[in-house]
Amino acid sequence: MNFSVAVNHLIDKSEGGFVNHPSDKGKATNWGITQKVYELYKGRAVSLDEMKNMPKSDAIAIYKKEYWDKIMGDSIKSYAIAYSMFDQAVNGGVSSAVKMAQEVAGVSIDGKMGPITLGAINGINETNFVTRFYALAEKRYRYLATNEGPNDKDQDFIEGWLNRAKNIREYALSNVGKTAGIGGAIILTGLI
């Protein structure tokens, strides 16, 4: 299983469709790509009409470059782990997803994906990883939806986030034993 399988599942089951929720800090969203992210990709401001008509191919290119590649999805052996990290990178940011993975894997938490984190992730029990990873995701969601979180408007999203975590955890657990990326090969060239 690879990025193509992951991104199509993500778009079909968790993201997709145009949304312009007033409480969303990312502004308008299509295919799960926020207006802020799309503007960075385009290198300019984009209109609401452009957001509504974003080609799916643009969303896929963004998901590959800004999320899958940054979590080193092609080098993670387990599809269940790679997909879990990909989902949370998209939903909460790459650094946040990596920090949760580092906590589960028992390595230094810095939010940066590198060879030590990759090695630890590739050596961990998949079922344990997914279960603990999504417990952390749920904890993060609950924090974001409280008045202690950075934006009390996030309360609007808690039910959807918790449903997403439940559904993705179940999907990931149903894929335990399947390899990700390029057959689970580890590519460490150029890493520090």
Side-chain angles (χ1 to χ4, degrees), residues 1 8 26 55 64 110 121:
M1 301 187 92
N8 283 308
K64 178 77 165 88
D110 64 5
I121 288 168

Side-chain angles (χ1 to χ4, degrees), residues 37-64:
V37 169
Y38 197 42
E39 287 175 342
L40 287 171
Y41 173 75
K42 291 292 217 178
R44 61 174 173 77
V46 297
S47 69
L48 205 55
D49 191 53
E50 286 177 283
M51 284 302 298
K52 288 179 184 177
N53 295 300
M54 178 195 306
K56 188 176 182 181
S57 60
D58 282 0
I60 290 170
I62 292 167
Y63 280 132
K64 178 77 165 88

Side-chain angles (χ1 to χ4, degrees), residues 1 76-82 126 171-172 174-181 183-184:
M1 301 187 92
I76 298 172
K77 290 180 182 180
S78 161
Y79 178 76
I81 292 173
E126 296 172 85
Y171 173 72
S174 75
N175 281 285
V176 165
K178 297 177 182 169
T179 57

Side-chain angles (χ1 to χ4, degrees), residues 7 35 42 47 49 62-63 70 81 83 89-90 104 111 118-119 135-136 152 161 176 178-179 183:
V7 75
Q35 189 168 348
K42 291 292 217 178
S47 69
D49 191 53
I62 292 167
Y63 280 132
K70 288 185 179 179
I81 292 173
Y83 189 83
V90 167
V104 171
L118 181 64
L136 290 174
D152 63 359
W161 287 340
V176 165
K178 297 177 182 169
T179 57

Side-chain angles (χ1 to χ4, degrees), residues 82-125:
Y83 189 83
S84 296
M85 289 182 65
F86 177 52
D87 166 69
Q88 285 299 295
V90 167
N91 193 241
V94 171
S95 178
S96 178
V98 172
K99 284 178 182 177
M100 290 190 305
Q102 290 169 328
E103 184 172 337
V104 171
V107 297
S108 180
I109 300 171
D110 64 5
K112 297 174 183 164
M113 193 67 182
I116 292 171
T117 300
L118 181 64
I121 288 168
N122 280 337
I124 199 166
N125 176 281

